[in-house]
Amino acid sequence: MTATITQTPREWADAFERASDQDPEIQAHGRYFTCSYLLDMDTHTFVIEMSAGKVHNIAVDPDPLDRPYQFAIRAGVETWQGFGVPVPAPMFHGIWAASFQRDMKLEGDVLILMQNLRCVTRQIELLRAVGVPV
């Protein structure tokens, strides 16, 4: 499962921000979607800072102490690439399937993840449209 990288990590972050902020589902459910979380894609990391359902900031490849986050979603390149195709294969369709059957790990304050689960899940689904930068 090889993906062609056509965007820099910063371009990807900008596209992800636009897709998230314009997504009707996130806007319908995201009134209280306020948190910071890390997407660790092995070769690149991103701290997504959300405020009331809108992306406040996306830090690209921050140093470990630069940006605080409440929880992390970590996986290898192959797993993220599996999420970034229009029709994902089995076990690449959601974070739970990938955490049970692939190398995805959910770390940190999982309560905050659970409180924002629908919106985080939708943002992960947006990778099908914007791709992944790895």
Side-chain angles (χ1 to χ4, degrees), residues 18-30 119 122 126:
R18 281 190 305 277
S20 182
D21 286 351
Q22 296 171 1
D23 186 71
E25 187 173 336
I26 291 174
Q27 297 317 304
H29 295 284
C119 291
R122 181 63 189 142
L126 291 175

Side-chain angles (χ1 to χ4, degrees), residues 54-126:
K54 297 284 188 184
V55 175
H56 175 70
N57 185 51
I58 299 178
V60 177
D61 294 326
D63 288 329
L65 300 176
D66 280 354
R67 299 287 182 163
Y69 55 87
Q70 293 155 310
F71 61 91
I73 304 173
R74 301 178 190 277
V77 170
E78 182 179 312
T79 299
W80 287 113
Q81 288 174 345
F83 274 89
V85 297
V87 179
M91 301 306 142
F92 292 102
H93 64 282
I95 61 173
W96 300 115
S99 66
F100 295 140
Q101 298 292 322
R102 301 286 176 208
D103 67 339
M104 186 166 278
K105 305 284 185 262
L106 308 174
E107 300 173 353
D109 194 339
V110 180
L111 175 60
I112 293 174
L113 168 62
M114 297 305 281
Q115 290 169 333
N116 295 289
L117 185 60
R118 183 61 225 142
C119 291
V120 172
T121 298
R122 181 63 189 142
Q123 283 187 318
I124 299 300
E125 290 169 352
L126 291 175

